[in-house]
Amino acid sequence: TQVGAVTRGSYTLKIVYPILFVKNFVPASYLQPGQVFDFTDLDNAAASQLFNEVVGSLAPAFSLYTNDPGKGNRITKLQQDSLGFAQSLSAAVEQGYQWKSDRGLAIVKTAIVSIEYDANTRELLKT
């Protein structure tokens, strides 16, 4: 069945292949002396792109997680299994955007702070 939810949390990126990351992703303007590539800089278009790709991968990651029989097919386990969800999110990002193979990046940790279900989903969960 389909469920609707809003989730809040954070994720941790790891640069697993630094040379690949610099060659294939860091904009040339940041390769000048004195420039710093900052993932948290709101004006950094490249960092914003990464964030948007993660957001775009959330639905496939939830699907990967809940369709894994080893996870008990329960979305409610997400908050208790941040490492397992990180693996699902990393796999979804890799499948959609090839972070590890093209950019040298991987999602290694997640922290799901809250999951709030929409009204239809709350009713479904009651039954």
Side-chain angles (χ1 to χ4, degrees):
T1 186
Q2 292 288 100
V3 298
V6 174
T7 186
R8 291 174 184 79
S10 61
Y11 57 93
T12 302
L13 296 176
K14 182 176 183 179
I15 300 172
V16 291
Y17 301 116
I19 293 174
L20 196 61
F21 175 70
V22 171
K23 278 180 65 177
N24 293 346
F25 188 73
V26 175
S29 61
Y30 289 99
L31 301 178
Q32 306 302 319
Q35 295 294 318
V36 175
F37 184 82
D38 184 356
F39 284 109
T40 63
D41 181 2
L42 297 176
D43 295 325
N44 182 339
S48 293
Q49 178 182 343
L50 293 176
F51 175 77
N52 290 333
E53 290 175 2
V54 169
V55 170
S57 299
L58 284 173
F62 286 130
S63 181
L64 282 170
Y65 187 88
T66 57
N67 289 319
D68 181 347
K71 306 292 186 217
N73 302 109
R74 304 289 295 184
I75 199 168
T76 54
K77 291 187 176 186
L78 280 173
Q79 288 179 281
Q80 301 163 351
D81 186 17
S82 59
L83 184 57
F85 183 68
Q87 292 168 344
S88 296
L89 183 56
S90 188
V93 169
E94 180 63 20
Q95 185 176 25
Y97 301 101
Q98 296 75 44
W99 275 22
K100 192 171 185 180
S101 56
D102 285 353
R103 298 176 181 165
L105 289 171
I107 294 176
V108 293
K109 294 180 185 175
T110 62
I112 303 297
V113 177
S114 68
I115 298 174
E116 298 170 13
Y117 299 103
D118 64 16
N120 291 339
T121 301
R122 285 193 298 270
E123 190 61 35
L124 177 67
L125 290 173
K126 284 181 186 177
T127 60

